[in-house]
Amino acid sequence: MRIGKQDQAFTAICASDAESVTVRGLDLCSELIGKIGFTDYFWLLVLGDKPTEAQRGMTDACLVAIAEHGLVPSVQAARMTLAAGPDAWQGAISAGLLGMGTVVAGSSEVAGRYLVEVHKEWKSSGRSLDEVCIESLEGLKAAKKKVPGLGHPQHSDGDPRAHALAAEAERLGVKGEYFAVLECLAEHAPKIINRPLPINVSGAIPAAMLDAGWPIEAMKGVPLLARAAGLVAHLFEESQRSIGFIMSNHADQAISYDGK
């Protein structure tokens, strides 16, 4: 059964033959290996052009900000998976990445799409940014929904990573309209939602990357790539001194049975 478009298909990312490998129009061996850093290569792979110095710096900052944050659920899943199957690093990495959903780590995409939505309404409506943000926040409150990109269970006084990314975006000259939307939402949210809602790293990353020119459709790729690096560190440590079964045992002790 044929499903979908059946015309000639193309890819603009990579091609290879017996003598060479071409990536985005560049020879992998003579023009890329040893001549390009990985952040530049990541940008080139996704968008087809090398980043500017500011785009590279902002991407680097975001990758560093989200690569590691301790024993979060995705890390626990990865470490317990490796403890159960020490030879299956690929399975453990997959377990960790699969745990990056709309609540933890993958929330950058959710926040980014929300910023795009508010930004679009601001630019198309002719109203002030404050009016648009207040209306949007009131709509979220009425629907009993969280405000994407704001609030943090641990950093209740403000996510230090978000502050650092905002400062870096300012320094690099890429802080623009999406960050303006995020900061406007953060200004009005506490009064409307009736609780502290500082900007978190999942809001700062898409604001910074959108302002730098990164597409919203590829936003989840940034925390996925970053967290993969952190997972490698945790899996190496797990292979040297395992805590996977310790975490499993503590979970068993912490949860009480209340079934029949």
Side-chain angles (χ1 to χ4, degrees):
M1 181 191 303
R2 293 188 175 187
I3 300 176
K5 184 180 178 181
Q6 296 297 317
D7 296 339
Q8 177 64 49
F10 298 94
T11 177
I13 299 173
C14 181
S16 63
D17 54 35
E19 289 78 35
S20 65
V21 179
T22 301
V23 179
R24 290 295 192 183
L26 300 170
D27 186 273
L28 175 64
C29 298
S30 66
E31 297 180 283
L32 293 172
I33 295 176
K35 297 178 175 63
I36 188 172
F38 188 73
T39 300
D40 281 28
Y41 193 42
F42 176 47
W43 192 286
L44 173 68
L45 282 170
V46 177
L47 298 182
D49 294 300
K50 294 178 183 178
T52 64
E53 184 176 343
Q55 289 171 330
R56 178 197 309 120
M58 199 68 256
T59 305
D60 269 335
C62 289
L63 291 171
V64 171
I66 199 64
E68 180 54 41
H69 198 56
L71 295 172
V72 294
S74 59
V75 170
Q76 293 184 43
R79 292 189 74 139
M80 283 190 277
T81 300
L82 192 72
D87 59 331
W89 269 58
Q90 72 280 13
I93 287 280
S94 298
L97 295 181
L98 287 170
M100 292 178 61
T102 57
V103 175
V104 177
S107 50
S108 289
E109 181 192 28
V110 177
R113 291 190 181 278
Y114 178 54
L115 293 178
V116 168
E117 175 187 316
V118 176
H119 181 271
K120 183 179 179 180
E121 176 62 23
W122 171 34
K123 289 299 179 179
S124 63
S125 67
R127 296 184 293 161
S128 71
L129 179 55
D130 288 294
E131 288 180 290
V132 171
C133 287
I134 290 170
E135 180 182 82
S136 179
L137 289 166
E138 289 175 342
L140 290 177
K141 182 180 181 179
K144 297 182 179 180
K145 294 181 178 180
K146 294 181 179 180
V147 184
L150 301 184
H152 197 283
Q154 184 177 10
H155 304 299
S156 56
D157 293 330
D159 191 330
R161 300 167 297 173
H163 298 323
L165 288 177
E168 187 65 4
E170 186 77 48
R171 187 187 72 82
L172 292 169
V174 300
K175 192 177 182 185
E177 292 186 350
Y178 289 101
F179 239 114
V181 171
L182 180 63
E183 290 175 339
C184 186
L185 289 166
E187 178 185 351
H188 294 291
K191 298 188 290 284
I192 295 172
I193 310 299
N194 297 319
R195 63 187 178 90
L197 284 173
I199 296 171
N200 59 40
V201 73
S202 294
I205 284 175
M209 293 301 291
L210 287 165
D211 278 337
W214 189 259
I216 185 60
E217 294 81 5
M219 192 60 67
K220 189 176 283 187
V222 175
L224 281 171
L225 179 64
R227 191 52 59 88
L231 288 174
V232 170
H234 278 280
L235 294 184
F236 176 65
E237 184 179 71
E238 183 68 23
S239 71
Q240 302 298 302
R241 47 179 191 176
S242 178
I243 62 172
F245 287 120
I246 296 174
M247 290 189 294
S248 177
N249 182 55
H250 277 276
D252 186 54
Q253 293 175 343
I255 307 301
S256 299
Y257 174 74
D258 68 350
K260 293 182 180 180

